[in-house]
Amino acid sequence: MEKYYNLLPIMMISKKNVNGYKVNYEKYLIELLNASLNFMKLTKSEKFKEITKQSNGECDAETGDYQIDFKLLVPTEFMQYKTMTLPNVDYKNIEHGFICVNDNKNSINEELKIKANNAYVNYIGNLRLKNKEELLNIIDEESILKSSINNMLVDKNILAFIPCTFDDKINGLSFVKRIFGALLSIRDNLNKDTFITFLQGDYFHIIQYNNGEYNLFDKVHKIMLPTFNDLYRLTYFV
């Protein structure tokens, strides 16, 4: 079976501590927005800043008059199982050029790893098989799709992050349409901006979705995201 994508290391999206630093994928998504020429045209060159206080449902980033919320397109169950299987990592010797990775009882638990993989496969499969109406009719809060459905219903501008890398031989946009098309259609007629981003080769592709239409909004080389590169260097083997 042909593999279309590789998931980013779980520590890059799990908000765990890496070398004494709490991982926050929102930080490198803000770097992505600020490195995008078309987002800078949208904001008239004003840089996005993190909204640190979000007690009343505020967005994640803003400029003077434009706000945007970040949405991670992965199932909650996948995140839970994957973080449970992380090994213990000791970064105290990183300045000398090496770190220590030690297994624990969960990191060698094959059952947990299988559950994590099954969760993501089920998520992708269910999204592909359901249409908009079927998604909106899901009322079970335990459904593997429910959190993503709720994310699409927010009345905000959003950047949905698919934490995958696609080989240059694969058309990432076609994958997005095929798997996430019905989910994205929930936002039709919301009168809010909808963007999707994923990594294709060395570039982050930013797709703008608008009532069934997909347009390549921008491409940004990953070298423009220092936080992303630093985190990947520290976590790609974990």
Side-chain angles (χ1 to χ4, degrees), residues 79-124:
M79 296 288 293
Q80 291 172 340
Y81 289 131
K82 287 293 287 185
T83 52
M84 287 173 65
T85 60
L86 286 172
N88 300 319
V89 184
D90 185 349
Y91 291 96
K92 66 183 179 183
N93 290 305
I94 192 169
E95 293 182 357
H96 301 292
F98 67 94
I99 63 175
C100 296
V101 179
N102 300 304
D103 283 323
N104 54 52
K105 66 177 183 179
N106 283 336
S107 66
I108 60 175
N109 188 324
E110 292 301 320
E111 184 179 351
L112 285 176
K113 293 179 181 179
I114 291 172
K115 285 182 177 179
N117 291 334
N118 287 345
Y120 199 81
V121 170
N122 290 339
Y123 175 74
I124 294 297

Side-chain angles (χ1 to χ4, degrees), residues 157-205:
N157 302 317
I158 69 167
L159 174 66
F161 179 33
I162 304 172
C164 297
T165 60
F166 295 91
D167 188 273
D168 281 332
K169 298 177 183 178
I170 300 299
N171 188 325
L173 178 55
S174 294
F175 179 87
V176 170
K177 290 180 179 179
R178 186 168 66 252
I179 303 300
F180 295 97
L183 183 68
L184 292 167
S185 70
I186 292 174
R187 293 186 60 79
D188 289 354
N189 304 314
L190 257 185
N191 199 30
K192 294 290 183 180
D193 292 336
T194 304
F195 300 95
I196 310 98
T197 189
F198 55 85
L199 192 61
Q200 176 103 46
D202 289 332
Y203 286 86
F204 277 90
H205 288 223

Side-chain angles (χ1 to χ4, degrees), residues 77 126 130 138-147 149:
E77 291 90 339
N126 275 279
K130 294 188 182 299
I138 293 176
I139 59 175
D140 183 4
E141 292 296 329
E142 299 301 318
S143 168
I144 199 168
L145 304 179
K146 192 61 177 177
S147 62
I149 294 168

